[in-house]
Amino acid sequence: MRHLLDTQTLDRETALRILDVAEDMSDTQSREVKKLPTLRGKTVVNLFFEDSTRTRISFEAAAKRLSADVINFTAKGSSVSKGESLKDTAQTLQAMGADAVIIRHPASGAPRTLATSGWISAGIVNAGDGTHEHPTQALLDAFTIRKRRFGLDSRGRDLAGIKVVIVGDVLHSRVARSNVWLLATLGAKITLVSAPTLLPQNVSHWPVRVLYDLDEALAEGPDAVMMLRIQLERMNAAYFPSEREYSRRWGLDAVRAASLPSDSIVMHPGPMNRGLEISSAAADSPRSTVLEQVTNGVSVRMAVLYLLLAGERNDERGEDK
Ligand code: NCD
C-alpha cells in the first residue's frame, strides 16, 4: 500500500488485510510492553490543518508504539493561499525526510493533491479532508463491528449481511461517507436515517437505503447504530428547526437504545454532542462502543502505518513481501 486516501477506491482484499493486521496489532496492545520495534528509524509527520484531539493523538500513539519518530505539525489559520501553503509545507517535510504524512485538512481532496503532486515522496494518510473522507475512522468502525460480532474468530471475515444504521448529519460527515463505501465493500446492509435537509443530493447513487424515521429503522433490529455528530461548525444555515426537535426525532435516547436487540451496538466517532444526537444514558450504556472505537483506532492506525512503511523497508532489502 502506497497511500491511504479514501475508502471509495479501497478494494475488499486490501480492506480485509488492514483489518487482519489490526487484529495482530491489537493482540500486542494487551501486553504490558506495548511497543514494537517495527518502524524504528522511520519518521511520521502529523500534519493537521484542522482541530483534532483524538485522531491526532491516536496516530501519534500508533506511530510511537511501532517505534517511529513522530513530528506534530499543527498549521491552523495560515494566511497563505491553501495550495501554496500546502506545497511549501510538503517540500519542507520532504527536506526533513518524512516517510509518512498523516494529513487533516479542511479542503476535500488535499490529501490526494499531496499524494499526486510530486512535492513529497512520503506515504500519505488521509486523517479527514473537509466533508470528503476519513478512511481510518471507517476502518476502525468496521474493525469494531467485526470484533463485536465475531470475537476471536473475526480474522478474514467480511461484514456480509450485517445491518448498520447511520444516523444524523450525513451531509457534512466525512465519517459517514467513508463508512458507506467501506461497509458496502465489506457486504454490510446500510440504512441512512436523517432529516432530508441533512442528506446530500446525490445520496440516491450511494449503496444505501434512506429512511427518515429513526424508530422505523431501529425496529428492524440493526446490528450496529452509528450516531453522527451534528457538525455545527460546518453549518451556515438552519438545517433543522431546533436542537430539541432534532433530539426528539433523530437523537438516540435511553428508550430508543433499550429497544434494540441485546447484542446490537451503539457507535459514535466522537466528539459527542451529549444530549443532542446521543443522550448520556445511551453513550455510557454497555452496548456503547465509543471507547472501544478509540482503543481499536490505535490498532487500526498501527496496521495502516505498518502496511505503508514496513513493506517499503522490505522492498529496500530486496525482499518481495
Ligand atoms: C470525526 C471527524 O473529525 O471527522 N471525528 C474524529 O475523527 N474523531 C467526526 C466528527 O468530527 O464529528
Side-chain angles (χ1 to χ4, degrees):
M1 192 164 59
R2 178 82 180 91
H3 305 290
L4 178 64
L5 303 177
D6 56 49
T7 58
Q8 190 165 18
T9 61
L10 193 67
D11 59 65
R12 180 177 179 278
E13 195 193 337
T14 311
L16 288 178
R17 172 106 177 96
I18 297 170
L19 298 183
D20 288 354
V21 173
E23 290 286 349
D24 297 340
M25 295 300 174
S26 158
D27 288 345
T28 70
Q29 294 310 293
S30 50
R31 297 184 197 152
E32 199 179 314
V33 179
K34 297 184 172 54
K35 202 157 171 161
L36 307 171
T38 322
L39 298 183
R40 201 180 280 155
K42 298 281 180 183
T43 300
V44 174
V45 176
N46 267 325
L47 179 61
F48 277 61
F49 292 89
E50 218 185 55
D51 289 335
S52 165
T53 333
R54 82 193 68 211
T55 303
R56 193 185 58 70
I57 62 177
S58 179
F59 270 109
E60 184 170 354
K64 285 185 169 163
R65 287 187 193 166
L66 292 170
S67 303
D69 294 322
V70 183
I71 298 173
N72 287 312
F73 188 119
T74 309
K76 234 201 139 219
S78 163
S79 59
V80 194
S81 82
K82 272 173 194 153
E84 224 174 358
S85 80
L86 196 58
K87 180 176 178 181
D88 287 340
T89 311
Q91 287 176 334
T92 305
L93 299 178
Q94 173 73 11
M96 281 179 186
D99 296 293
V101 175
I102 320 296
I103 176 173
R104 170 166 288 199
H105 201 284
S108 299
R112 183 168 294 279
T113 302
L114 210 54
T116 56
S117 60
W119 299 328
I120 186 165
S121 58
I124 307 295
V125 179
N126 179 2
D129 59 332
T131 58
H132 175 230
E133 282 228 31
H134 190 356
T136 58
Q137 179 69 44
L139 285 159
L140 76 88
D141 290 336
F143 183 91
T144 302
I145 295 171
R146 194 174 80 152
K147 209 170 177 82
R148 273 285 183 123
R149 190 47 73 204
F150 304 115
L152 292 176
D153 202 22
S154 59
R155 279 188 181 79
R157 290 193 186 241
D158 65 12
L159 300 177
I162 299 273
K163 289 183 277 178
V164 182
V165 175
I166 302 178
V167 189
D169 185 1
V170 178
L171 181 65
H172 301 103
S173 177
R174 53 198 177 202
V175 172
R177 282 174 185 72
S178 282
N179 264 294
V180 164
W181 306 124
L182 179 66
L183 294 175
T185 298
L186 294 176
K189 290 186 185 155
I190 308 158
T191 303
L192 301 183
V193 181
S194 192
T197 49
L198 287 175
L199 287 168
Q201 274 180 351
N202 64 351
V203 76
S204 58
H205 300 299
W206 292 11
V208 299
R209 178 181 65 144
V210 173
L211 290 179
Y212 302 104
D213 183 339
L214 180 56
D215 293 312
E216 187 185 340
L218 299 185
E220 293 175 356
D223 299 284
V225 180
M226 186 182 296
M227 305 307 297
L228 300 172
R229 185 173 65 87
I230 289 284
Q231 312 245 313
L232 293 166
E233 79 280 20
R234 297 190 203 280
M235 293 186 184
N236 47 16
Y239 286 87
F240 48 88
S242 69
E243 296 198 353
R244 203 186 144 111
E245 175 70 359
Y246 183 89
S247 294
R248 194 182 65 75
R249 295 192 58 187
W250 294 289
L252 193 74
D253 58 15
V255 176
R256 282 182 170 140
S259 76
L260 290 164
S262 59
D263 56 354
S264 302
I265 59 173
V266 167
M267 314 178 76
H268 193 299
M272 294 185 276
N273 293 309
R274 285 176 183 260
L276 181 51
E277 71 266 0
I278 191 166
S279 74
S280 277
D284 302 331
S285 75
R287 66 169 83 248
S288 160
T289 57
V290 171
L291 294 175
E292 246 168 86
Q293 288 167 264
V294 175
T295 305
N296 293 339
V298 177
S299 302
V300 164
R301 288 169 179 130
M302 287 172 79
V304 169
L305 290 173
Y306 170 83
L307 290 169
L308 224 66
L309 296 178
E312 180 193 302
R313 170 177 296 191
N314 289 337
D315 292 345
E316 278 163 16
R317 287 204 308 253
E319 288 170 23
D320 187 22
K321 208 176 153 203

